[in-house]
Amino acid sequence: MSRIIEKQDLSENVVRMVLDAPAIAKKRRAGQFIILKIDEKGERVPLTIVDSDEQKGTITIIFQVVGKTTAALAKMKAGEALMDLQGPLGNPTEIENFGHVVCIGGGVGVGVVYPLAAALKKAGNRVTSIIGARNKSLLILEEEMKKVSDKLIVATDDGSYGFHGFVSAVLQNLIDSKEKIDRVYAIGPVPMMRVLCDVTKPYTIPTIVSLNSIMVDATGMCGACRVAVGGQTKFTCVDGPEFDGHQVDFAQLTNRLRMYCTQEKEAFEAHRCQCHGK
Ligand code: FAD
Ligand code: FES
Ligand code: MG
């Protein structure tokens, strides 16, 4: 069981929650995630550990409402409890002083890139961060990202704030300005990560992506989260979630993420009807 200590809406449908999880807070490192289950009949949902406080025994998650479980989670209040929390899971990010790193987050992916940027900064890297969203009201963690970056560039698709365009265009500008970049971390929607990898590949800039494959057991047993990386089958839950982006088969990942779309839509609709008392 894990109690919700704090809950805050970060944007229209992105929620931040602080959860009581002393054992996880003690062990977790940047890049790792948890699997939560709301109640007895609930499905298992993986979410990144964005932050932790060992003293208070808490962890922070940030999630976007995209379907049944995230909608149900967003309805819960501080003081209520989740039935089950498992973690920390996945391999921690490889943290070294690489030199100049560029940390890129899109949408709710900014929540996932934040702990990486913080750990990379702490390890002595020069951190340039690029964060993006469809519009200004959907942008999250700008202040937090500023604190862990030497330079922060904000981009919005509609130009309502910062650079008008995609984060990939900002990265291309940075590369064109002849800045030496030692490593790129690209985290967000699959199409965004794919384009960012296409941008860095000709310049052979190592590019790390964090994959959000569908997970069930998260112990490497069920095979649900399999991805092809460099022609080999990998399990995101135990081999990842971070991989060399230039080796990832994004087309296969996209197809696998859409595998249960019909059932997910039905479950979401049924959940909404239940909530409206129909
Ligand atoms: P559904 O309607 O069930 O699904 C919507 C879409 O989410 C699906 O089409 C599918 O692409 C994906 N999805 C569905 N079930 C799962 C599942 N069991 N595992 C993974 N993806 C699924 N999201 C965040 O908002 N914040 C995070 O920090 C975050 N971190 C993640 C870390 C990892 C390692 C992984 C694998 C995923 C992460 N996600 C994160 C994605 C999050 O798990 C899904 O958005 C969530 O499971 C959707 O559940 P749902 O029932 O609300 O939506
Ligand atoms: Fe089952 Fe990764 S979630 S093998
Ligand atoms: Mg679901």
Side-chain angles (χ1 to χ4, degrees):
M1 208 177 82
S2 171
R3 202 159 291 284
I4 301 168
I5 307 294
E6 271 176 53
K7 183 191 165 193
Q8 181 195 6
D9 291 331
L10 291 186
S11 76
E12 208 176 286
N13 55 7
V14 176
V15 178
R16 174 181 170 273
M17 270 183 184
V18 177
L19 305 173
D20 178 43
I24 300 176
K26 205 170 175 178
K27 278 201 276 178
R28 72 58 73 157
R29 284 159 63 195
Q32 291 185 297
F33 63 95
I34 47 123
I35 289 252
L36 64 78
K37 201 172 149 181
I38 294 180
D39 53 31
E40 190 63 50
K41 288 191 175 165
E43 64 179 343
R44 292 159 60 79
V45 167
L47 293 170
T48 302
I49 306 168
V50 173
D51 210 346
S52 61
D53 186 326
E54 205 182 322
Q55 302 299 320
K56 291 184 182 158
T58 59
I59 60 163
T60 301
I61 53 169
I62 292 179
F63 62 92
Q64 182 172 10
V65 176
V66 291
K68 182 187 167 183
T69 303
T70 46
L73 189 60
K75 285 225 154 51
M76 294 183 77
K77 300 182 184 73
E80 291 183 318
L82 307 172
M83 196 190 114
D84 196 30
L85 206 61
Q86 206 186 324
L89 299 167
N91 297 300
T93 307
E94 187 194 339
I95 301 291
E96 276 178 37
N97 188 346
F98 297 106
H100 181 205
V101 296
V102 178
C103 295
I104 308 173
V108 75
V110 179
V112 182
V113 90
Y114 168 72
L116 273 62
L120 289 160
K121 177 77 184 138
K122 205 170 163 191
N125 290 279
R126 178 157 75 90
V127 178
T128 298
S129 297
I130 308 170
I131 59 171
R134 275 189 284 124
N135 60 54
K136 188 182 178 189
S137 70
L138 299 175
L139 195 73
I140 61 166
L141 302 185
E142 185 184 359
E143 281 313 308
E144 288 83 350
M145 285 300 291
K146 213 179 255 174
K147 280 186 193 144
V148 299
S149 310
D150 293 277
K151 184 178 177 188
L152 175 72
I153 306 166
V154 177
T156 51
D157 299 359
D158 67 353
S160 50
Y161 189 53
F163 175 84
H164 185 175
F166 296 133
V167 288
S168 51
V170 179
L171 178 64
Q172 185 66 62
N173 289 343
L174 215 58
I175 293 171
D176 292 344
S177 73
K178 304 280 183 249
E179 274 226 49
K180 184 174 179 293
I181 300 172
D182 297 296
R183 204 169 247 242
V184 168
Y185 292 82
I187 303 173
V190 173
M192 183 201 103
M193 294 194 285
R194 186 182 201 161
V195 169
L196 287 166
C197 290
D198 287 344
V199 169
T200 56
K201 203 168 183 179
Y203 307 94
T204 60
I205 303 170
T207 302
I208 309 299
V209 292
S210 181
L211 302 185
N212 56 344
S213 331
I214 292 182
M215 290 187 183
V216 180
D217 69 337
T219 62
M221 302 289 280
C222 72
C225 68
R226 68 179 176 275
V227 282
V229 183
Q232 287 186 323
T233 297
K234 298 280 179 190
F235 293 156
T236 307
C237 64
V238 289
D239 299 320
E242 289 170 16
F243 292 101
D244 172 354
H246 295 154
Q247 303 291 324
V248 171
D249 181 342
F250 285 108
Q252 189 209 51
L253 177 65
T254 305
N255 286 337
R256 289 190 59 78
L257 281 170
R258 289 190 189 131
M259 229 167 31
Y260 302 105
C261 266
T262 311
Q263 292 88 337
E264 286 158 0
K265 260 187 211 146
E266 283 170 9
F268 198 11
E269 282 310 315
H271 171 78
R272 272 198 247 187
C273 290
Q274 239 179 16
C275 289
H276 291 107
K278 285 181 194 160

